[in-house]
Amino acid sequence: MNRSKAWLFMASVVIGTPTHGAPMPSPPRADAPMVSQIDLLHTSWTAREGAPTGITRIAQTPDGWLWLGSSSGLYKFDGVRFLRATGPEAPLSAGISGIGLLQDGTLWIGYKYGGVSLMRHGLMRHFRLDSPDTPAGTVFDATQDASGRIWLATGRGLHYLGPDFHWHRPAPSLKAPAVPILSILLDRRGVLWIRTATEVHALQNGAAAFDLRMKLKGAGGLAEHPDGSIWTTDIENPGIHMLSAPEQGPALAWRTDQAFQELAFDHEGYAWVTNPEGIVRLGNTSTGTPAQRFRTDQGMSGRSPSVLFEDREHNIWLATENGLDRFRLPRLRAVALPAYKHFSARPIAAGPGSSAWVDYSFVAGPGSPARPFTARPAYADTITALHRAPDGTVWVGGAGSQLWMAGNQGLQRIQAFPEIRATAVYALAQDKAGTLWVSMGRAGLYTLRAGQLKAGGGVPGLKKFPASALATDSQGRVWFGSVNNRLAVLEGGQLREYGRAEGLGVGTVMHMLPMRDGAWVGGENGLAYFDGRRFNPVEGWAGEPFTGITGITGMVFARDGSLWINGSDGISSIAPAELLKALRDPAYRVRFNRLDHRDGVVGSTSPILPVPSAVRSEDGTLWFSTTGGVYGLNPAKLIHNPLVPPVVITGMKSGADNHAVAEGMRLPAGTRMLSMDFSALSYQEPERMRFQYRLDGVDIAWRESDGRRSAYYTNLGPGAYRFRVIAANNDGVWNREGASLSFQIEPRATQTMWFRGLCGVALLGAVVGIFYWRTRRLAVRYRERMRERLAERERIAQALHDTLLQSMQGVILRFQGVAKRLPPDCDTRRLIAPILDQAGAVIDQGRQELLDLRTTSDQECDLAKSLGEFGRSLAEDLGPRFKLSVTGVEKPVNATASQAIYGIGREALFNAYRHAAAEHVDIEITHGRHHFVMAIRDDGVGIPDDVLRNAGRKGHWGVAGMHERAKALGGAIELRQREPKGTQVIVRLPAHRVYREPDASGPWIRLRMLSQRLGWRAGR
């Protein structure tokens, strides 16, 4: 609680002095304990980021929300946004003197001018001043004892809430101080502690009255240490004062000569205290940890620290008059090292155990002090490269092309090489044969063996090879990286070079990590895997290249198989499963974790030196070098956040209208755009949290948030929706259950079902009306066309009768006259007689055709009878036996279809009798519900293949005419060979085009058939 402010507030009320006149800090004493800056990660929020000013108290409720009571109202904070409490969560007044959490999870809110509120499950219960028993003084603090009784510390003494839900003063026998109570605390042993401006009293569990524990000079705080001891501070008396000893073990002591106001202990037992000079973190005398201070000039949000709080993720929160501050443990801390003279990062080499060589120092492990293994070199002797060979030899390279060996006696200089122009040693590597390879950059590549220096190692292709990186492997290969996408491998004396043609695109190769069948390659432009033939680039999720500005200068595998990469954007790690996916699918983008400035990493990789900037010690400790320091870590011991983040939906907005979030809510008609606000309550690194969301009924899959805690939807229609959101904390721990909200958008009158039904009925009526209108139009057009057709047929019939038939009749009469002149027993007369009979039959048939031309299309025709008579006549004259069969229920065929079918059948029969040389010819007529089918079959010689392919013979139109007649009726003809011999002609026609009364079992079928028929007729 803001107990110091509470005391200052009371003093201002009593003596009328302003509360903002903080005393000036006193100058430090010569014998004062050593003070350093707090070595935790710090973040601050001020009014610029939306933080309320004048925060008086901080609390965290069981649902995860961080609540801030301030002089401007009640707020809740999710780590990113400050949300003012409104609606059911709104307080009685904006002037809040304190808030806190009771043992049963209830949030209490006290007010400067009296009154108190209790909030549980998002609902407030207010105790207003208009009730005579409500405490009228300023509410400073509250707690709840084991019986559930709520105690209030107010400017008018102590109060408690009785079973009747009325506030009462303690009985006089309890001997509670009748003065302003500034703070109250219930410890783990059930002791109730209260503090006034000058005294501390305690009520033992089961005791009848309070007893005085300590007299003090000024205001201060009350706090319980993790060991169970109780402490207080006194703004007028230096130190932290113990009120009750721990449950077990010796009492703690704190080395400080300063007086403090606020007091809080974190989970590790460090004391956090405030005074006008800033905030101080104290370790007890047994830890040997020096005091650490943080002030305004170091980034604190204001000048007057007043409120301290530790949340359930062990973040420490500080409130000032101007905003809010957070302190949290870094994952990495740089090794304390002496100054480095070179402009780049320090060279490193892995050592035995968890150790490493760094520059000219040896570090036994992360957190260990650096021990120089040689005197600090002069600037001209600056160390630029380190390499620990497989045999344990530590090679050292430096400015001016100098080489040393590190040993118990420090650095042992290798003989000078005057033939090499002065430059720095870029990289070192010792191969399986014990040869040391030395890269001098553009000055050349050399080998050192038995004290002899050889340019390019005697390999012609390496004498002028400007190596930017070196690596060796257990197979005896030596790897050389260079600028402009060049890489070379020396194996068995053979040098193979690779470049852009093999897919290498990392720019300058800065580090290589050889594998059995290839290598991982890092450079200024990214990461790639070499499979022995080609280089396949590897990118991270969202296109991350792992390079930053200066590129990848170090890679190392951890013991679990994960790949760690040191790039200028931070230290990234890729899990083995992700690496396998990338190797199987070059287009796959890997998921990765990253350590950067948010984890305590300072600086970035150097653009040139050192290489490599990442190594692994024998026990698996990883070391990384940046321009800001050297970091050692054990991946298995990194700080991990196990908290499953609670997910909440915080708001819904449509246009300019904000809607209170409630399950099953109904939105007004016409709502088309929505924005959904959501959050997850994890405070270590809220900026690293991931969100996925979906709106059922709109999204077919989960959508990844782009960093915003809002989702936007447009063009929504009326109906029921369900919005869902899930989240992962900074370490990838997912809350898969997440949060959801069901809501409904009301339809407009024009969007309701009854309106749509009416529109459907109206549309159907319009369609039916148009259909009947169209039917009448088509019927009229059909009658007109039929009249035109009949007139044309009558004209043709008349012309044929007056010309062809009359002429033929004249010819026949002349032949009859000739025949009569011949003797009756003359052979010629006997030959002419049947010809005249046949000519007479042709004349009769012609007359019948002319009669048909003059008849209407509605004239009935017995199709089967006509085809039967024609087939039998052919059988009598030409020999093959004829058979006709009819299946199905016979229905009357309209005249147009009858003429067409008869023409098709007559042509098919005539072809069968004339060309097939068959013994049998059959016709089978099938009357179906949906189709009329006629099949003409014979067992003759079959139909030629060219006739099948071309649908007839060239220059002959019989088969073509058959197809035309069938197509005119909307049908088709199939001609095919029969097995084992013969030909089959199948005619398939739609029933509604053949029969005078289509077979329809319902109105919709009749309507469809009628529309199809009319459509066909209109098309004709």
Side-chain angles (χ1 to χ4, degrees):
M1 175 180 182
N2 188 2
R3 300 172 182 90
S4 58
K5 280 195 172 181
W7 168 244
L8 292 174
F9 176 79
M10 288 303 300
S12 68
V13 172
V14 175
I15 63 177
T17 58
T19 62
H20 57 270
M24 294 296 293
S26 56
R29 293 167 38 185
D31 59 346
M34 182 179 66
V35 177
S36 61
Q37 182 173 334
I38 294 177
D39 62 347
L40 301 179
L41 298 176
H42 169 256
T43 308
S44 65
W45 294 265
T46 63
R48 181 173 50 199
E49 290 79 34
T53 57
I55 297 174
T56 56
R57 192 74 181 268
I58 304 172
Q60 188 173 27
T61 45
D63 59 8
W65 278 108
L66 204 66
W67 292 85
L68 310 173
S70 74
S71 57
S72 58
L74 181 65
Y75 294 81
K76 56 184 180 180
F77 182 48
D78 62 1
V80 176
R81 295 176 293 196
F82 297 88
L83 305 176
R84 191 181 185 96
T86 58
E89 299 175 340
L92 278 175
S93 166
I96 295 175
S97 56
I99 64 172
L101 195 69
L102 300 177
Q103 278 74 359
D104 64 359
T106 300
L107 182 72
W108 66 268
I109 301 100
Y111 303 97
K112 289 183 179 180
Y113 303 105
V116 66
S117 300
L118 302 177
M119 184 173 71
R120 189 171 178 82
H121 302 308
L123 299 176
M124 284 280 197
R125 177 166 186 169
H126 299 296
F127 296 90
R128 304 175 185 273
L129 287 176
D130 52 11
S131 177
D133 60 293
T134 299
T138 301
V139 177
F140 295 120
D141 205 353
T143 192
Q144 187 176 34
D145 62 23
S147 68
R149 176 179 292 179
I150 299 174
W151 295 85
L152 279 187
T154 76
R156 297 190 180 182
L158 192 65
H159 294 73
Y160 69 90
L161 185 65
D164 57 355
F165 279 93
H166 289 278
W167 294 99
H168 304 274
R169 290 183 177 273
S173 60
L174 201 62
K175 298 182 180 179
V179 295
I181 310 296
L182 303 184
S183 59
I184 186 169
L185 170 69
L186 183 75
D187 68 17
R188 68 184 64 177
R189 288 170 285 196
V191 179
L192 186 66
W193 299 84
I194 59 175
R195 195 190 193 289
T196 69
T198 57
E199 295 176 343
V200 177
H201 298 257
L203 179 65
Q204 296 288 340
N205 191 9
F210 281 95
D211 60 279
L212 178 66
R213 290 299 182 91
M214 183 177 289
K215 281 191 168 292
L216 302 159
K217 297 179 180 180
L222 275 176
E224 183 176 14
H225 191 272
D227 66 4
S229 56
I230 307 299
W231 300 80
T232 189
T233 52
D234 186 343
I235 189 62
E236 302 294 339
N237 187 14
I240 303 176
H241 313 288
M242 185 172 67
L243 298 171
S244 174
E247 294 177 312
Q248 56 184 6
L252 302 177
W254 310 87
R255 183 168 175 247
T256 180
D257 59 355
Q258 291 185 302
F260 303 106
Q261 299 169 350
E262 287 296 307
L263 168 65
F265 294 104
D266 63 24
H267 69 288
E268 295 181 316
Y270 284 92
W272 292 73
V273 287
T274 67
N275 61 21
E277 296 181 7
I279 181 173
V280 180
R281 180 176 182 249
L282 292 174
N284 62 73
T285 53
S286 64
T287 65
T289 304
Q292 297 177 337
R293 174 176 290 130
F294 201 77
R295 301 187 301 266
T296 304
D297 58 358
Q298 295 168 324
M300 193 167 67
S301 63
R303 292 179 299 174
S304 302
S306 57
V307 180
L308 292 167
F309 177 76
E310 182 181 32
D311 66 23
R312 61 188 183 186
E313 295 173 271
H314 306 310
N315 302 299
I316 300 297
W317 298 86
L318 166 71
T320 70
E321 83 287 353
N322 193 43
L324 185 67
D325 298 76
R326 181 193 65 199
F327 296 89
R328 61 181 178 86
L329 287 172
R331 296 175 191 260
L332 296 179
R333 283 191 171 96
V335 176
L337 294 165
Y340 183 55
K341 295 181 179 179
H342 205 272
F343 62 86
S344 63
R346 300 171 189 257
I348 56 175
S354 59
S355 65
W357 279 269
V358 181
D359 186 14
Y360 64 92
S361 300
F362 178 81
V363 183
S368 300
R371 177 175 57 82
F373 59 83
T374 185
R376 182 176 181 178
Y379 181 79
D381 299 331
T382 299
I383 294 173
T384 58
L386 288 169
H387 173 68
R388 182 170 183 254
D391 59 7
T393 303
V394 178
W395 296 96
V396 183
S401 305
Q402 299 181 86
L403 290 174
W404 299 271
M405 289 179 59
N408 295 331
Q409 303 301 321
L411 292 180
Q412 178 184 351
R413 185 184 297 275
I414 308 297
Q415 67 183 46
F417 305 101
E419 65 273 22
I420 304 175
R421 65 182 177 85
T423 184
V425 175
Y426 277 64
L428 299 167
Q430 180 176 309
D431 63 21
K432 192 174 182 180
T435 301
L436 178 67
W437 291 81
V438 184
S439 171
M440 304 290 185
R442 294 190 179 276
L445 184 64
Y446 298 85
T447 57
L448 180 67
R449 186 173 180 82
Q452 298 297 317
L453 196 69
K454 185 180 294 185
V459 180
L462 293 176
K463 288 185 178 181
K464 295 184 179 181
F465 193 90
S468 56
L470 299 174
T472 59
D473 60 28
S474 60
Q475 301 177 53
R477 296 175 297 185
V478 185
W479 299 71
F480 309 92
S482 185
V483 298
N484 197 26
N485 292 301
R486 293 183 65 193
L487 184 146
V489 181
L490 181 63
E491 181 176 14
Q494 299 295 318
L495 184 69
R496 297 189 305 275
E497 291 198 43
Y498 304 92
R500 291 185 181 273
E502 289 75 31
L504 183 59
V506 300
T508 299
V509 177
M510 306 176 80
H511 192 209
M512 297 158 293
L513 201 58
M515 309 290 291
R516 175 176 297 180
D517 300 321
W520 289 91
V521 180
E524 60 179 335
N525 295 330
L527 175 68
Y529 179 75
F530 178 56
D531 61 8
R533 297 181 301 275
R534 290 194 59 81
F535 296 83
N536 298 310
V538 177
E539 288 189 348
W541 179 74
E544 170 61 47
F546 305 108
T547 58
I549 299 174
T550 56
I552 297 171
T553 61
M555 297 179 292
V556 64
F557 276 102
R559 284 189 165 180
D560 64 356
S562 58
L563 178 64
W564 290 72
I565 303 168
N566 195 13
S568 62
D569 279 344
I571 302 169
S572 305
S573 62
I574 308 173
E578 292 294 300
L579 294 176
L580 288 175
K581 292 178 182 178
L583 296 183
R584 292 169 184 163
D585 179 10
Y588 178 74
R589 294 187 173 185
V590 297
R591 293 280 182 180
F592 63 94
N593 295 317
R594 173 167 290 168
L595 301 174
D596 55 22
H597 65 279
R598 295 168 292 189
D599 304 284
V601 178
V602 179
S604 63
T605 55
S606 295
I608 301 177
L609 298 173
V611 287
S613 63
V615 296
R616 188 181 84 182
S617 299
E618 291 180 352
D619 72 343
T621 300
L622 307 183
W623 294 87
F624 300 92
S625 178
T626 73
T627 55
V630 174
Y631 302 87
L633 64 96
N634 184 335
K637 296 181 180 179
L638 280 175
I639 298 174
H640 181 73
N641 184 5
L643 178 72
V644 177
V647 183
V648 291
I649 298 173
T650 58
M652 176 189 287
K653 189 175 182 180
S654 174
D657 299 327
N658 289 305
H659 303 282
V661 175
E663 181 66 20
M665 60 190 298
R666 291 178 175 269
L667 300 180
T671 301
R672 295 186 58 81
M673 296 186 298
L674 279 181
S675 64
M676 308 292 298
D677 295 332
F678 48 83
S679 188
L681 306 178
S682 177
Y683 296 92
Q684 280 196 3
E685 296 176 85
E687 65 276 8
R688 275 184 169 170
M689 299 188 71
R690 290 177 56 198
F691 295 90
Q692 292 181 349
Y693 61 87
R694 66 184 299 173
L695 182 61
D696 293 344
V698 175
D699 297 322
I700 60 176
W702 289 96
R703 299 169 63 180
E704 187 88 18
S705 173
D706 57 359
R708 297 178 298 179
R709 299 190 176 199
S710 298
Y712 301 91
Y713 292 94
T714 59
N715 297 323
L716 297 178
Y721 296 91
R722 183 167 177 250
F723 180 74
R724 293 187 286 164
V725 58
I726 58 177
N729 70 7
N730 56 307
D731 278 327
V733 178
W734 280 94
N735 181 342
R736 293 291 180 184
E737 182 178 352
S740 64
L741 176 67
S742 297
F743 61 93
Q744 186 165 335
I745 298 178
E746 295 291 341
R748 289 174 173 167
T750 56
Q751 295 173 321
T752 57
M753 290 302 297
W754 62 265
F755 181 83
R756 292 178 179 176
L758 289 177
C759 291
V761 171
L763 179 61
L764 180 61
V767 170
V768 172
I770 293 172
F771 172 77
Y772 282 113
W773 172 80
R774 177 68 173 169
T775 301
R776 289 193 296 271
R777 288 285 306 274
L778 291 176
V780 171
R781 187 181 301 174
Y782 176 72
R783 287 193 293 269
E784 291 175 352
R785 289 188 178 181
M786 288 304 298
R787 282 196 294 268
E788 293 174 359
R789 181 181 296 180
L790 289 175
E792 179 66 15
R793 290 171 67 172
E794 289 179 358
R795 186 190 68 79
I796 294 172
Q798 184 177 1
L800 290 175
H801 180 270
D802 293 342
T803 57
L804 180 62
L805 287 183
Q806 294 295 339
S807 298
M808 288 187 68
Q809 185 66 41
V811 171
I812 291 172
L813 290 175
R814 294 184 66 184
F815 270 95
Q816 286 176 348
V818 172
K820 289 179 179 180
R821 292 188 180 99
L822 295 175
D825 57 349
C826 180
D827 291 337
T828 302
R829 184 171 181 171
R830 285 195 297 269
L831 291 173
I832 292 175
I835 295 174
L836 291 175
D837 292 340
Q838 185 176 1
V842 170
I843 291 295
D844 292 339
Q845 186 176 359
R847 287 195 180 98
Q848 182 62 40
E849 291 294 332
L850 291 178
L851 180 62
D852 290 341
L853 284 174
R854 292 177 178 272
T855 57
T856 65
S857 60
D858 292 332
Q859 181 179 353
E860 294 186 2
C861 177
D862 191 340
L863 179 63
K865 180 180 178 182
S866 299
L867 287 173
E869 290 176 352
F870 183 74
R872 283 189 290 271
S873 68
L874 291 176
E876 291 175 1
D877 293 338
L878 301 176
R881 284 178 289 179
F882 173 76
K883 178 183 177 182
L884 183 142
S885 61
V886 179
T887 60
V889 179
E890 286 195 66
K891 288 168 281 189
V893 178
N894 64 64
T896 302
S898 178
Q899 291 175 10
I901 296 170
Y902 179 78
I904 294 171
R906 185 173 60 185
E907 180 67 25
L909 286 173
F910 189 76
N911 288 338
Y913 275 93
R914 186 168 59 177
H915 304 297
E919 295 181 1
H920 300 85
V921 177
D922 300 334
I923 290 185
E924 181 182 357
I925 297 175
T926 303
H927 296 277
R929 182 174 180 181
H930 302 292
H931 292 89
F932 171 89
V933 181
M934 180 175 67
I936 301 95
R937 305 181 182 94
D938 65 64
D939 56 359
V941 296
I943 188 169
D945 293 338
D946 61 330
V947 177
L948 284 176
R949 286 193 305 270
N950 302 320
R953 287 190 177 93
K954 186 175 181 180
H956 294 260
W957 308 106
V959 176
M962 294 165 59
H963 282 282
E964 290 172 356
R965 287 188 174 98
K967 185 177 180 181
L969 291 175
I973 292 180
E974 180 182 2
L975 280 75
R976 61 186 178 187
Q977 302 280 7
R978 292 185 67 194
E979 294 296 337
K981 62 179 182 177
T983 304
Q984 179 172 257
V985 179
I986 299 178
V987 183
R988 182 180 297 272
L989 304 173
H992 68 275
R993 302 288 292 273
V994 174
Y995 302 119
R996 299 184 62 195
E997 296 180 0
D999 182 10
S1001 58
W1004 293 111
I1005 297 177
R1006 291 196 298 269
L1007 185 64
R1008 177 175 60 83
M1009 290 182 175
L1010 181 58
S1011 64
Q1012 291 176 347
R1013 182 175 181 180
L1014 292 174
W1016 167 74
R1017 289 176 177 173
R1020 287 177 61 88

